[in-house]
Amino acid sequence: MSALDVEIAAYEQANPGSRSMHERASAVLPGGDSRNSIFWNPFPIYVTHAEGTKLTDVDGNTRTDFVNNMTTLIMGHRHPDVVRALHEQVDHGVSYPAPSPPVIRWGEILCERVPSVEKIRFVNSGTEATLNAIRAVRAYTGKTLIAKCEGAYHGNHDAIQISVTPPVDEAGEAENPEPVVMFPGINPGAADDIVIMPYNDSEAAERIIRSHAEDLAAVIVEPINGQCGMVPARTEFLQTLRDVTSELDIPLIFDEVISFRAASGGAQEWYGITPDMTCFGKVIGGGLPVGAFGGKEEIMSLWDPNHGADFVQHAGTFNGNPMTAAAGVATLELLTPEVYAELERKGDKLRQMIRDLIAELEVPMGVTGAASLFSLQFTTETVTDYRSFATNDKEMLQTVFTGLLNEGILMSNRCAGNVSAVHTDEDLKDFVSALRRVLVRAGYA
Ligand SMILES: Cc1ncc(COP(=O)(O)O)c(C=O)c1O
């Protein structure tokens, strides 16, 4: 029996309730759910409740949650201030066909914390945030082409579901990647409207941007690449993107859907580099569905219905809804600079403890991440971009992921994780002890 088979057998044994719920769910939901990003074989856990750092499933198993709904729950589950804000808003009504005060407060906080965001609009997902930011720059520049990085996920819409996890043998040369449409159903023409840059390769990115400058509506980049394992951009890479786009008058979009975890002003404050447009999601909604996009007044004013004949239409029944605004404001108000500093301290500490364990057990793996974000990498290569990320050993990844589930730890199915403000140093130690037991079972000792 392989190490993976051993872990799967233990998992099946401990989760009979999730298995039968998966069978029931699969009768009505393809794959048993509405999100492939949280699916895993042989079946996912079905969660009944959550509190602080803990998640409990239908079998009564309680695990320490290092996923926090894909980096969203930065204050943990059911933070009392967020719960109180939601209760208060429920008492006032859950959605209105008119704007409401909490949404104004929400916008004020974000515009104040992120000086590059002069105006903002709220939507319901990070996907809608990047969709609208791309529409904004296309409307503003009158051009169509977008430059994005290979291995970057910017949401689930046609314009950008290109070269997220392309098969390397179909993706061209590392310094000159080809656009690869990610799955059937995406408009194949979308690949004609995008150019792909290697992440963290300043020279190649600058060459690619310059050679398409005439047609580029924007360059979009994630300052900390989530898909490849929370891989931080080199400052010099982001600076090159900023310098070359400023020189050529091309809007630069930061996708801060995840990286807004880095500081109260987001990764743009953390790096000291200012984009023209920013996409938000996850933490800013306090756990409820959310997205937002904002930036320069001259671009965002296109959204104003009084702008004139060229205004951009923007509807959305739940955009800027008061429930998300209430949870978002409560969360953002809790997120003081001290909380960010403590999140980063815990992230640094956890990554160092994992590095020490890997060295001690001589395991062919590594850890990436920045601030409160981290990811296990099952490769001896230093992961800085998609091509190095693509060297991960997938069987080892699944073995460790399943092993950690068996040890009471939840990571994402790609073995990415994050700490929340309510994780304690004890939780971090428990994570490393669990990882040690899994690696020892897999034969590293
Ligand atoms: C960087 C980035 N952009 C956009 C999105 C899309 O956000 P959502 O899942 O809310 O649509 C995600 C989601 O994980 C993301 O990580």
Side-chain angles (χ1 to χ4, degrees), residues 125-127 130 153-155 222 255 257-258 282 290:
S125 65
T127 293
T130 61
Y153 178 66
H154 295 292
E222 209 189 347
D255 180 346
V257 167
I258 289 180
K282 312 239 194 227
V290 77

Side-chain angles (χ1 to χ4, degrees), residues 35 37 70-71 124-130 152-156 222 224-227 255-259 279-282 289-291:
R35 291 161 84 185
S37 50
M70 301 313 207
T71 75
N124 301 295
S125 65
T127 293
E128 288 174 69
T130 61
Y153 178 66
H154 295 292
N156 194 13
E222 209 189 347
I224 301 171
N225 180 307
Q227 169 64 45
D255 180 346
E256 294 236 33
V257 167
I258 289 180
S259 66
C279 303
F280 302 92
K282 312 239 194 227
V290 77

Side-chain angles (χ1 to χ4, degrees), residues 165-180:
T165 52
V168 170
D169 56 0
E170 290 173 28
E173 293 164 13
E175 299 77 33
N176 237 342
E178 294 287 335
V180 178

Side-chain angles (χ1 to χ4, degrees), residues 82-409:
V82 179
V83 171
R84 193 176 316 114
L86 283 169
H87 279 153
E88 278 169 16
Q89 188 57 48
V90 166
D91 289 344
H92 289 86
V94 295
S95 68
Y96 317 124
S100 61
V103 186
I104 308 171
R105 177 79 193 115
W106 201 18
E108 286 168 349
I109 294 175
L110 287 165
C111 289
E112 191 191 305
R113 292 191 187 180
V114 192
S116 71
V117 175
E118 292 168 348
K119 291 265 168 76
I120 191 163
R121 277 246 167 151
F122 293 103
V123 286
N124 301 295
S125 65
T127 293
E128 288 174 69
T130 61
L131 183 154
N132 279 285
I134 288 171
R135 184 174 289 167
V137 292
R138 284 179 170 162
Y140 177 71
T141 61
K143 301 179 194 172
T144 305
L145 199 65
I146 301 292
K148 83 173 272 282
C149 290
E150 189 174 54
Y153 178 66
H154 295 292
N156 194 13
H157 57 100
D158 282 23
I160 210 82
Q161 271 286 19
I162 316 278
S163 295
V164 179
T165 52
V168 170
D169 56 0
E170 290 173 28
E173 293 164 13
E175 299 77 33
N176 237 342
E178 294 287 335
V180 178
V181 171
M182 284 319 300
F183 45 80
I186 300 284
N187 172 11
D192 301 337
D193 294 334
I194 209 151
V195 284
I196 307 298
M197 311 173 292
Y199 193 66
N200 267 332
D201 182 338
S202 305
E203 213 179 293
E206 178 167 354
R207 172 177 44 75
I208 291 164
I209 293 168
R210 285 193 187 281
S211 66
H212 293 92
E214 290 286 290
D215 303 313
L216 276 174
V219 171
I220 185 167
V221 68
E222 209 189 347
I224 301 171
N225 180 307
Q227 169 64 45
C228 293
M230 311 300 177
V231 176
R234 295 189 184 107
T235 307
E236 164 253 345
F237 176 68
L238 291 182
Q239 192 62 58
T240 301
L241 296 186
R242 179 63 288 181
D243 292 346
V244 70
T245 52
S246 295
E247 180 196 322
L248 300 170
D249 209 11
I250 300 165
L252 177 64
I253 306 173
F254 273 10
D255 180 346
E256 294 236 33
V257 167
I258 289 180
S259 66
F260 197 60
R261 262 182 165 257
S264 66
Q268 52 200 274
E269 176 189 311
W270 206 63
Y271 282 100
I273 296 174
T274 306
D276 301 299
M277 291 285 291
T278 302
C279 303
F280 302 92
K282 312 239 194 227
V283 300
I284 69 157
L288 271 67
V290 77
F293 61 100
K296 283 193 167 155
E297 160 92 43
E298 64 196 271
I299 303 178
M300 292 304 294
S301 64
L302 291 173
W303 261 249
D304 182 343
N306 285 324
H307 185 268
D310 61 348
F311 89 98
V312 178
Q313 183 55 279
H314 188 216
T317 305
F318 299 106
N319 289 355
N321 76 82
M323 289 296 286
T324 308
V329 168
T331 299
L332 290 168
E333 283 178 343
L334 287 163
L335 286 171
T336 60
E338 294 71 37
V339 172
Y340 279 104
E342 180 60 5
L343 281 161
E344 185 161 342
R345 182 196 68 77
K346 286 188 279 192
D348 286 345
K349 179 171 177 176
L350 181 57
R351 285 188 297 275
Q352 190 54 50
M353 289 196 299
I354 296 170
R355 252 180 241 118
D356 291 346
L357 177 69
I358 292 169
E360 183 200 324
L361 299 182
E362 298 179 12
V363 194
M365 61 181 283
V367 60
T368 45
S372 57
L373 304 158
F374 69 102
S375 191
L376 305 179
Q377 302 278 359
F378 300 94
T379 172
T380 49
E381 285 202 26
T382 304
V383 175
T384 56
D385 59 10
Y386 179 65
R387 300 293 166 116
S388 44
F389 166 75
T391 63
N392 264 269
D393 177 336
K394 293 193 177 60
E395 178 161 339
M396 190 171 172
L397 186 156
Q398 205 193 339
T399 305
V400 171
F401 168 72
T402 315
L404 286 171
L405 282 171
N406 291 334
E407 292 289 343
I409 300 284

